[in-house]
Amino acid sequence: MMRTDARHVTFESPLGLMAVSAVEEGLTYVHMGVEEIKDAWGPEASTPVLDAAEEQLLAYFAGELKDFDLPLAAAGTGFQHRVWSELVRIPYGETWSYLDVARRLGDPKAVRAVGLANGRNPIAIVVPCHRVIGSNGKLTGYAGGLWRKEWLLGLERGEPALFA
């Protein structure tokens, strides 16, 4: 749920209309494919965090940025934050499995919990949940749609046929 003090801006991206939301402390959401819900959010209101987020995301899409430098303020449980902290350690252009993330957290049996936390990541792309795949190497669920996950991974691997 978006905080009442959150502000947002929308912008066009290769993945469709996007919106970023933030509070004073930092970025709270990255939304993809927001055409159908844009009007429900009310007026846009830019902030320095939102301006930086839009600028960095567009640079990322252009292949000019590999690491984001934004303050983050996503709401989540302690475990979710631990998972999300691991996700930002996945190098650009690489993938880890859910099991890899669980092992890095020190609990290989937490694979399903890692999957749930990954799926609840509200700051997609900036916290690169798209870099997590099944142990069999297959792409698995992505809140933004599997085609977006494939596009993002193709971008990071320098596969222009996938994102041209």
Side-chain angles (χ1 to χ4, degrees):
M1 170 174 265
M2 195 180 311
R3 285 176 34 177
T4 58
D5 60 334
R7 302 292 175 256
H8 77 278
V9 295
T10 59
F11 58 95
E12 287 295 333
S13 81
L15 301 177
L17 186 64
M18 294 189 74
V20 288
S21 302
V23 293
E24 187 175 330
E25 300 86 2
L27 195 65
T28 56
Y29 286 93
V30 172
H31 310 268
M32 294 178 270
V34 297
E35 291 84 357
E36 64 280 355
I37 60 170
K38 181 181 177 192
D39 294 335
W41 292 348
E44 295 189 27
S46 187
T47 69
V49 171
L50 292 173
D51 291 343
E54 178 180 354
E55 180 180 312
Q56 288 185 32
L57 281 161
L58 291 174
Y60 167 84
F61 293 136
E64 300 166 356
L65 180 80
K66 294 183 179 182
D67 297 304
F68 292 93
D69 181 22
L70 298 165
L72 305 179
T77 67
F79 182 77
Q80 288 170 334
H81 281 280
R82 286 181 55 217
V83 170
W84 301 338
S85 291
E86 284 303 314
L87 300 183
V88 298
R89 291 184 173 100
I90 304 173
Y92 181 94
E94 293 185 22
T95 56
W96 290 357
S97 71
Y98 295 96
L99 178 59
D100 292 334
V101 176
R103 284 181 176 148
R104 289 175 182 271
L105 291 172
D107 187 359
K109 294 181 181 177
V111 173
R112 287 183 189 212
V114 165
L116 290 172
N118 191 61
R120 296 215 171 148
N121 169 26
I123 310 176
I125 303 171
V126 175
V127 175
C129 53
H130 62 278
R131 295 180 189 155
V132 182
I133 61 173
S135 293
N136 61 2
K138 293 191 179 201
L139 300 186
T140 57
Y142 189 64
L146 282 180
W147 74 269
R148 286 186 176 100
K149 184 172 189 164
E150 182 177 15
W151 191 96
L152 292 165
L153 293 173
L155 170 71
E156 292 186 8
R157 290 180 178 147
E159 299 170 358
L162 291 177
F163 62 91

